[in-house]
Amino acid sequence: METELAASSQNPLLDVRNLKIQIHTDIGVVRAVENVSFSVHAGQALGIVGESGCGKSMTALSIMGLLPGGNAKVADGQILYNRSDSEIIDLATLKPTGAKMRSIRGNEIAMIFQEPMSSLNPVYTIGDQIMEAIILHQRVNKTEARKRAIKMLDLVGIPAASQRVDEYPHQLSGGMRQRVMIAIALSCNPRILIADEPTTALDVTVQAQILELIKQLQIEFNMALILITHDLGVVREVADDVAVMYFGRVVEHAPAAKIFKNPSHPYTQRLLKAIPRIGSKEELLQIEGSVPSPFSIRKGCDFAPRCLETVQKCKDQLPEMELIEAQHQVRCWLRQDAKSLNDKEGAKSTNNNE
Ligand SMILES: Nc1ncnc2c1ncn2[C@@H]1O[C@H](COP(=O)(O)OP(=O)(O)OP(=O)(O)O)[C@@H](O)[C@H]1O
Ligand SMILES: [Mg+2]
């Protein structure tokens, strides 16, 4: 059943609440995403960061109604899409192959995938593939669709677009192919763009150009952007807010400036120390250990086995997300306890001064 609530333009475009995704396999249930919440407004960019296997792609695919096979399911939570002033749709309740989901996917919410070569069809020209996306969702004829395809290629910085529109994917460089993927994603003017590791397959200079392009288009079209990456360095220039995920859970969530100035979760701090900086002589720190098995029984903080600051409570009890300063939430006992102590001392000194 689909939920339709009264919407308002002040509401976020997308509001993910306590999302849980489970994958049923022959050897057990993978809890890929556990109680993840975040929201994005029009014109806002959210970075979702975390190492391999932490549930970033599953989160993205669930929004698109594209969870793999029949074995991955949204087990709980809501994915509220603010479609119009009078309609909020819980995407988690829509049938992935149903007419409503198909009218939203690729049209109102679009996604750019990591590997353009496997997302583009090698036997069709890039023009045909952009036109296909346009014709699928918009009532235009082939001539008009071709005109729009050329305009899109131009927009994403492909030189001589009117000639290259007839080329095949293998005739383009990796960076150009990723630009084509962006053109396809943006061809229907989506309100929400999800980019899952859009630059991982590219070399560093091209990576920077593609990120700049995504950011520029996001601002130009006032889209909500969800940028997914394992690299905190990638979100630095692009994201307004950052959610750091570890083992299926968000462990820190704050405006990007706060994450970079005052990273608080021990995992975020270690991720930041793992970003290479040009000219820096500081040794890059790797995060010792690895993410636990997805089948393991979970007790306490998920990061405790790799954390250098662990105390007994971390091993026994899962911390919830809590505010440690305005707009800055952290899932860590140490930071939360330090904040309560500071608050108490602050209150005591105020009382003493009265
Ligand atoms: N088809 C599948 N069957 C079983 N488990 C899966 C499947 N796809 C993903 N998983 C598991 O779900 C969890 C989350 O995977 P997900 O792909 O969302 O990670 P990710 O954060 O996107 O990682 P990466 O950075 O490698 O892309 C992992 O434990 C992964 O092993
Ligand atoms: Mg992924």
Side-chain angles (χ1 to χ4, degrees):
M1 235 198 53
E2 145 192 336
T3 320
E4 295 193 8
L5 309 165
S8 107
S9 49
Q10 271 113 50
N11 284 342
L13 260 187
L14 189 74
D15 190 4
V16 174
R17 296 186 186 168
N18 300 316
L19 181 67
K20 255 188 202 190
I21 300 173
Q22 298 182 343
I23 306 169
H24 294 264
T25 71
D26 292 344
I27 47 169
V29 176
V30 177
R31 294 174 193 282
V33 174
E34 279 283 298
N35 283 322
V36 162
S37 299
F38 58 81
S39 59
V40 255
H41 288 77
Q44 188 197 8
L46 169 75
I48 300 185
V49 186
E51 69 198 293
S52 191
C54 72
K56 306 180 297 292
S57 294
M58 288 294 143
T59 304
L61 293 172
S62 69
I63 298 168
M64 299 292 288
L66 287 176
L67 283 174
N71 58 345
K73 295 234 159 56
V74 172
D76 205 357
Q78 293 175 301
I79 304 172
L80 301 176
Y81 168 46
N82 189 343
R83 195 179 206 190
S84 71
D85 279 349
S86 58
E87 189 184 18
I88 290 182
I89 303 173
D90 183 357
L91 300 177
T93 63
L94 292 189
K95 202 169 156 220
T97 50
K100 197 153 210 169
M101 190 72 228
R102 281 187 288 126
S103 73
I104 294 172
R105 178 169 57 226
N107 192 28
E108 296 168 43
I109 308 180
M111 183 157 168
I112 308 170
F113 296 89
Q114 176 174 343
E115 191 20 88
M117 208 47 201
S118 54
S119 308
L120 288 171
N121 190 326
V123 301
Y124 290 103
T125 65
I126 54 168
D128 281 340
Q129 297 182 59
I130 304 173
M131 283 162 65
E132 188 192 347
I134 295 171
I135 291 169
L136 185 68
H137 293 291
Q138 293 172 21
R139 280 198 206 131
V140 294
N141 62 25
K142 262 191 121 176
T143 321
E144 178 57 28
R146 185 179 163 88
K147 255 197 232 158
R148 290 197 195 177
I150 294 171
K151 205 169 134 205
M152 287 313 298
L153 288 176
D154 207 32
L155 184 76
V156 298
I158 299 219
S162 53
Q163 283 127 53
R164 302 207 87 154
V165 68
D166 295 319
E167 289 187 355
Y168 290 86
H170 74 267
Q171 293 174 281
L172 304 178
S173 66
M176 288 289 171
R177 284 198 286 265
Q178 195 54 299
R179 284 175 194 264
V180 172
M181 291 304 301
I182 297 172
I184 293 175
L186 297 191
S187 59
C188 294
N189 205 358
R191 303 171 74 209
I192 301 171
L193 177 66
I194 303 173
D196 188 359
E197 304 273 9
T199 58
T200 309
L202 306 172
D203 67 51
V204 181
T205 354
V206 183
Q207 217 179 66
Q209 291 165 1
I210 296 288
L211 287 173
E212 209 177 296
L213 174 69
I214 293 176
K215 182 70 192 167
Q216 174 211 322
L217 294 171
Q218 182 238 331
I219 294 171
E220 196 173 323
F221 294 107
N222 199 32
M223 286 182 291
L225 171 70
I226 300 176
L227 176 66
I228 293 174
T229 170
H230 61 275
D231 181 354
L232 254 180
V234 161
V235 297
R236 190 190 284 268
E237 306 299 327
V238 178
D240 302 304
D241 285 286
V242 177
V244 179
M245 281 183 76
Y246 186 78
F247 201 35
R249 291 195 170 100
V250 176
V251 295
E252 183 158 6
H253 192 159
K258 291 195 179 186
I259 292 274
F260 287 98
K261 194 162 165 236
N262 182 24
S264 294
H265 196 282
Y267 176 61
T268 316
Q269 292 176 343
R270 304 264 289 279
L271 269 184
L272 261 177
K273 288 196 172 135
I275 303 179
R277 284 208 188 83
I278 295 170
S280 165
K281 292 208 173 74
E282 242 179 79
E283 197 187 338
L284 282 184
L285 278 188
Q286 77 175 53
I287 305 177
E288 302 289 330
S290 54
V291 181
S293 153
F295 299 107
S296 57
I297 295 169
R298 301 165 77 147
K299 192 176 162 221
C301 168
D302 298 312
F303 191 61
R306 297 169 83 185
C307 184
L308 303 175
E309 303 174 53
T310 312
V311 294
Q312 191 56 43
K313 183 153 107 178
C314 309
K315 295 179 190 162
D316 296 339
Q317 241 179 302
L318 173 73
E320 294 302 323
M321 286 291 272
E322 262 184 35
L323 278 174
I324 53 157
E325 59 174 328
Q327 299 175 294
H328 191 165
Q329 287 183 299
V330 182
R331 190 188 285 283
C332 173
W333 285 124
L334 302 163
R335 305 301 176 256
Q336 292 171 7
D337 290 349
K339 178 180 182 289
S340 329
L341 198 67
N342 272 344
D343 288 352
K344 268 186 210 145
E345 280 176 1
K348 236 192 255 163
S349 70
T350 321
N351 285 343
N352 288 347
N353 292 339
E354 274 167 3

